[in-house]
Amino acid sequence: MTRTTKAIVVTLVVLVVVAALGFVYASPYIALDRLKRAADVRDAQTVNEYVDFPALRESLKQQVAELLTRRVDIQKSGNPLAVIGAMIGAALVGPLVDSYATPDGVAAILNGIPPRGNPGERPPAPPAADGTSASAAAPVSGPAPAAPKPPPETTAGYRSFDTFVVTYQHGAGDARYSAIFHRNGLVTWKLVAVDLNG
């Protein structure tokens, strides 16, 4: 093998290794983009590839229960009915979690609309074919609805080699929350948890 041929082979090997490392590094960003696109169009089959629903359901259950506990702790000092409210709230955790552990719920989470732990809360309706939401298409009596919030500020990055976190915040004073992805293989990632505390 001539010196030129060896140099070409070494260069090609280096380029392949750099490209492979770049792809491994970019893999959670690619997974996030594919999951968001699939969730936005409610492509359940693709969403299922990128979400570990049992883990997400468990995370949501824990996070919503913590939200309710904090609310009750705040209300206890001035409201003797807070204990009854806590029991009612605890009974509502299951349905709320079930509604968010769906493609509609994943779309809401990835679009800056996390669960707030409110009774009867559901993710927003998917957009209609013309781009309006189902609720916006229906006539509404009373005052005009408020203008929709702008999309949240989003930051994304590795927390560790196997954990990738996307953090959402609408504004400086608004609460933050995070969507947490875990590596599942070398370049495959799944949404496994939500941290409603940022």
Side-chain angles (χ1 to χ4, degrees):
M1 198 181 281
T2 67
R3 184 179 296 175
T4 305
T5 306
K6 284 182 184 178
I8 291 172
V9 169
V10 168
T11 302
L12 288 175
V13 168
V14 168
L15 287 175
V16 168
V17 168
V18 168
L21 290 174
F23 182 70
V24 169
Y25 178 81
S27 61
Y29 296 95
I30 294 167
L32 173 63
D33 180 62
R34 289 180 181 164
L35 173 58
K36 184 165 179 351
R37 288 174 189 264
D40 285 345
V41 297
R42 304 321 192 256
D43 177 358
Q45 183 176 353
T46 304
V47 169
N48 286 336
E49 293 175 23
Y50 291 99
V51 179
D52 180 345
F53 279 108
L56 179 62
R57 188 172 280 111
E58 189 59 36
S59 169
L60 284 168
K61 186 187 295 184
Q62 178 184 5
Q63 293 293 311
V64 172
E66 287 176 10
L67 275 176
L68 292 172
T69 301
R70 281 197 303 272
R71 275 195 204 144
V72 168
D73 288 344
I74 290 170
Q75 293 175 351
K76 270 186 184 174
S77 59
N79 187 353
L81 299 176
V83 175
I84 295 171
M87 290 188 298
I88 292 170
L92 298 174
V93 168
L96 189 153
V97 167
D98 289 342
S99 72
Y100 269 86
T102 63
D104 285 347
V106 170
I109 290 167
L110 297 179
N111 283 301
I113 309 168
R116 300 287 183 204
N118 298 322
E121 181 179 6
R122 298 247 180 271
D130 64 358
T132 61
S133 72
S135 58
V140 177
S141 60
K149 276 187 169 182
E153 295 175 25
T154 306
T155 57
Y158 282 88
R159 186 176 284 169
S160 69
F161 180 73
D162 291 330
T163 305
F164 184 80
V165 178
V166 185
T167 303
Y168 301 85
Q169 185 171 16
H170 279 284
D174 285 349
R176 297 175 354 154
Y177 75 97
S178 301
I180 301 168
F181 290 76
H182 280 187
R183 188 182 298 273
N184 186 17
L186 185 59
V187 294
T188 306
W189 293 82
K190 288 196 175 224
L191 175 64
V192 297
V194 174
D195 181 355
L196 297 176
N197 301 313

